[in-house]
Amino acid sequence: MNATQIEPTATLAHLQESKPEKVTIVLLSGDLDRAMAAFIIATGAAAMGMQVTVFFTFWGLNTIRKNGATSSAKDWLRRMFGLLNKGGAESLPLSRFHFGGIGTKMMQKVMKQNRMPGVPELMQTALDLGVRFIACTTTMGLMGITKDTLIDGIDQFAGVTTYLAEAKQGSVNLFI
Amino acid sequence: MNATQIEPTATLAHLQESKPEKVTIVLLSGDLDRAMAAFIIATGAAAMGMQVTVFFTFWGLNTIRKNGATSSAKDWLRRMFGLLNKGGAESLPLSRFHFGGIGTKMMQKVMKQNRMPGVPELMQTALDLGVRFIACTTTMGLMGITKDTLIDGIDQFAGVTTYLAEAKQGSVNLFI
Amino acid sequence: MNATQIEPTATLAHLQESKPEKVTIVLLSGDLDRAMAAFIIATGAAAMGMQVTVFFTFWGLNTIRKNGATSSAKDWLRRMFGLLNKGGAESLPLSRFHFGGIGTKMMQKVMKQNRMPGVPELMQTALDLGVRFIACTTTMGLMGITKDTLIDGIDQFAGVTTYLAEAKQGSVNLFI
């Protein structure tokens, strides 16, 4: 019985080694705290040699919009919505204690005092480490967000099929 | 050494092929945007041939309640809670800019103008594609939600053990 | 061709058996409903023999802070923030219908009437079942939370690298 010559542990080790360690993150939230968590995980995983993809959808798209970007949609409904839903990684609110901006400003000040990178810096590090940023086309249309209002370096646009093709190979798949 | 005759890549390919591609989604949120994301992923995965299970818990149960359904619990506490927490996939609020309903109505109008399916349509497509809907019995009890106030087609009820048995086989497990 | 002697199904079964069934949960939310879901899953998985790790970050840290704990940071900014962001598993608000505390109290009353364990009881069960609790050092610093203001039994502190090392071996990885 030659089958006994194969050591299962060796096979397991090989499989784990050859399996691409992929991480996917769907970022739906536009909250400062959730976005920070997403990018701390994304940069951490990339630094550990894992392949990371972040999919931006709904309010998560705000993190990759230019600062102060509003909607350029032609219909008044989406334009009005775009006025409310201002873009820019620097103006993300906290999910708690935002208090019309005061709480969030306080948190950002604490981060600076402790020399912690903010969302814009974490995002740049992520891009430098090769993290893939993909903007969800479906919700971009829905929210009246156009490509020219996104920050530089965002050149991948896709929908749910692309996400799932990545996620099903992922070791870690998070929805934030 | 006959062991060398086995090509690890072939074995790996086989394993990946035979592994059932399962997707599980816990939908705790009752927000329109999060529910939409959940069902876009669920229908997308089902269309790609994956086995999808959605577990509805807490506010996520609202999506599978009949429109306008309130609690039928006998104790006034849960009945009061049920009055506040109205069910129905058509009345889910946005997690941002709900503005007492105005923002959400606006978003729903934009969706209709762009011929995008809403949550009720996405849910029907999911059911047609064979997505399993499971209602969490623990939180149903907690929130005073009874089976007869759920939409037609919901006939699976279970708790955390059923969820975990599915999720540990899942390629993609999301908590939304 | 001796390779044919190896039955792929047997190998697969073996692999699945030997693979450690790990569950990781990042608890960022400090909402009563989300914390309850996290600990119901954590205790359920531990009871099924899975290895469970919960990482507490941002508002999720509130669940493992002593009741009424405020920040002991020296700078007034974090101290002020700490005053707002009171700790304690017994004072977590509902993500909906908190109503300045009335809605949350109502829900807690219903839980007691139905003899459902609350977050403090679920957490104790989790610890008794061997669930690992890890507090995120990065956000502890950011929010001015010190070790001595955490409940007893919390003795593991780590960052994103520890989380990812666990998560990449996980069968089920959730972000709550």
Side-chain angles (χ1 to χ4, degrees):
Chain A
M1 292 299 281
N2 285 304
T4 55
Q5 289 178 319
I6 296 138
E7 292 169 78
T9 355
T11 314
L12 179 60
H14 174 85
L15 280 169
Q16 286 187 332
E17 213 177 286
S18 65
K19 194 183 158 195
E21 295 281 11
K22 289 194 175 192
V23 176
T24 70
I25 295 171
V26 176
L27 183 60
L28 174 137
S29 173
D31 295 330
L32 177 59
D33 36 324
R34 291 194 168 251
M36 273 190 62
F39 293 116
I40 288 173
I41 293 171
T43 51
M48 285 165 79
M50 302 167 92
Q51 280 177 39
V52 188
T53 309
V54 183
F55 291 81
F56 299 86
T57 188
F58 281 98
W59 324 106
L61 287 165
N62 286 346
T63 58
I64 51 168
R65 289 169 76 195
K66 286 179 187 155
N67 279 315
T70 52
S71 175
S72 46
K74 278 170 199 158
D75 52 300
W76 73 269
L77 257 179
R78 278 191 289 175
R79 216 161 57 205
M80 227 180 97
F81 203 90
L83 277 174
L84 295 171
N85 184 39
K86 273 193 189 153
E90 284 170 27
S91 50
L92 306 175
L94 277 178
S95 66
R96 276 195 186 186
F97 307 123
H98 179 57
F99 289 141
I102 299 173
T104 302
K105 278 264 172 308
M106 216 158 84
M107 175 67 93
Q108 283 169 330
K109 213 163 186 177
V110 172
M111 282 164 62
K112 258 185 205 155
Q113 282 177 353
N114 290 270
R115 280 181 206 138
M116 277 188 62
V119 171
E121 291 81 25
L122 285 168
M123 275 172 53
Q124 192 52 55
T125 308
L127 287 171
D128 293 346
L129 289 169
V131 172
R132 274 177 77 192
F133 281 22
I134 302 183
C136 168
T137 41
T138 313
T139 41
M140 278 178 70
L142 184 61
M143 301 174 88
I145 298 173
T146 48
K147 295 185 184 182
D148 57 293
T149 57
L150 299 182
I151 55 171
D152 296 334
I154 309 297
D155 48 15
Q156 295 187 58
F157 303 89
V160 70
T161 314
T162 305
Y163 163 65
L164 284 164
E166 281 295 305
K168 74 180 183 183
Q169 296 179 308
S171 313
V172 183
N173 300 309
L174 305 173
F175 190 102
I176 299 185
Chain B
M1 293 299 283
N2 285 306
T4 54
Q5 289 178 320
I6 297 136
E7 292 169 79
T9 357
T11 313
L12 179 60
H14 173 84
L15 282 169
Q16 286 185 334
E17 216 176 283
S18 64
K19 193 184 159 193
E21 295 280 12
K22 289 196 175 190
V23 175
T24 70
I25 295 172
V26 176
L27 184 60
L28 173 138
S29 173
D31 296 329
L32 176 60
D33 36 325
R34 290 193 168 252
M36 273 191 63
F39 293 116
I40 288 173
I41 293 171
T43 51
M48 286 164 78
M50 302 167 91
Q51 278 178 41
V52 188
T53 310
V54 183
F55 290 82
F56 299 86
T57 187
F58 280 98
W59 323 106
L61 287 165
N62 286 345
T63 58
I64 51 169
R65 290 169 74 195
K66 286 180 189 153
N67 278 315
T70 52
S71 175
S72 46
K74 276 169 202 159
D75 51 303
W76 72 270
L77 257 180
R78 279 191 289 174
R79 217 162 54 207
M80 227 180 98
F81 203 90
L83 276 173
L84 296 171
N85 184 39
K86 273 195 188 148
E90 283 169 29
S91 51
L92 306 175
L94 276 177
S95 66
R96 277 196 186 184
F97 307 123
H98 178 57
F99 290 141
I102 299 172
T104 301
K105 277 265 172 307
M106 215 158 84
M107 174 66 94
Q108 284 170 329
K109 212 163 188 178
V110 171
M111 282 164 63
K112 256 184 207 157
Q113 282 177 353
N114 290 268
R115 280 178 205 142
M116 277 186 62
V119 171
E121 292 81 24
L122 285 168
M123 274 171 54
Q124 193 50 58
T125 308
L127 287 171
D128 293 346
L129 289 168
V131 172
R132 273 178 77 192
F133 281 21
I134 302 182
C136 169
T137 41
T138 314
T139 41
M140 278 178 69
L142 185 60
M143 301 172 90
I145 298 173
T146 47
K147 294 185 186 185
D148 57 292
T149 57
L150 300 182
I151 54 170
D152 296 334
I154 310 297
D155 48 14
Q156 296 186 59
F157 303 89
V160 70
T161 314
T162 305
Y163 162 65
L164 284 164
E166 281 294 304
K168 73 180 185 185
Q169 297 179 307
S171 313
V172 183
N173 300 311
L174 305 173
F175 190 101
I176 298 186
Chain C
M1 293 301 281
N2 285 306
T4 54
Q5 289 178 319
I6 297 137
E7 290 169 81
T9 356
T11 312
L12 179 60
H14 175 83
L15 281 169
Q16 287 186 333
E17 213 176 286
S18 65
K19 194 183 159 194
E21 295 281 10
K22 289 195 174 190
V23 176
T24 71
I25 295 173
V26 176
L27 183 60
L28 174 137
S29 173
D31 295 330
L32 176 61
D33 37 324
R34 291 193 168 252
M36 274 191 61
F39 292 116
I40 288 172
I41 293 172
T43 51
M48 286 165 78
M50 302 168 90
Q51 279 178 39
V52 188
T53 310
V54 183
F55 290 81
F56 298 87
T57 189
F58 281 99
W59 323 106
L61 287 165
N62 286 346
T63 58
I64 51 168
R65 290 168 75 196
K66 285 179 189 153
N67 278 316
T70 51
S71 175
S72 47
K74 278 169 200 158
D75 52 300
W76 71 270
L77 258 179
R78 278 190 290 174
R79 219 161 54 205
M80 228 180 97
F81 203 90
L83 277 174
L84 296 171
N85 184 41
K86 275 195 187 148
E90 282 169 30
S91 51
L92 306 175
L94 276 178
S95 66
R96 277 195 185 187
F97 307 122
H98 178 56
F99 290 140
I102 299 173
T104 301
K105 278 265 173 303
M106 215 158 84
M107 174 67 93
Q108 284 169 329
K109 212 162 187 179
V110 172
M111 282 163 63
K112 257 185 205 153
Q113 283 177 352
N114 291 268
R115 280 180 205 140
M116 277 188 61
V119 171
E121 291 80 24
L122 285 168
M123 273 170 54
Q124 193 50 56
T125 309
L127 287 170
D128 293 347
L129 289 168
V131 172
R132 273 178 78 193
F133 280 22
I134 303 183
C136 168
T137 42
T138 313
T139 43
M140 278 179 69
L142 184 60
M143 301 173 90
I145 298 172
T146 48
K147 296 185 185 184
D148 57 293
T149 57
L150 299 183
I151 56 170
D152 295 333
I154 310 297
D155 48 14
Q156 295 186 58
F157 303 89
V160 69
T161 314
T162 304
Y163 163 64
L164 284 164
E166 281 294 304
K168 74 180 185 184
Q169 296 179 306
S171 313
V172 182
N173 299 309
L174 304 174
F175 190 102
I176 299 185

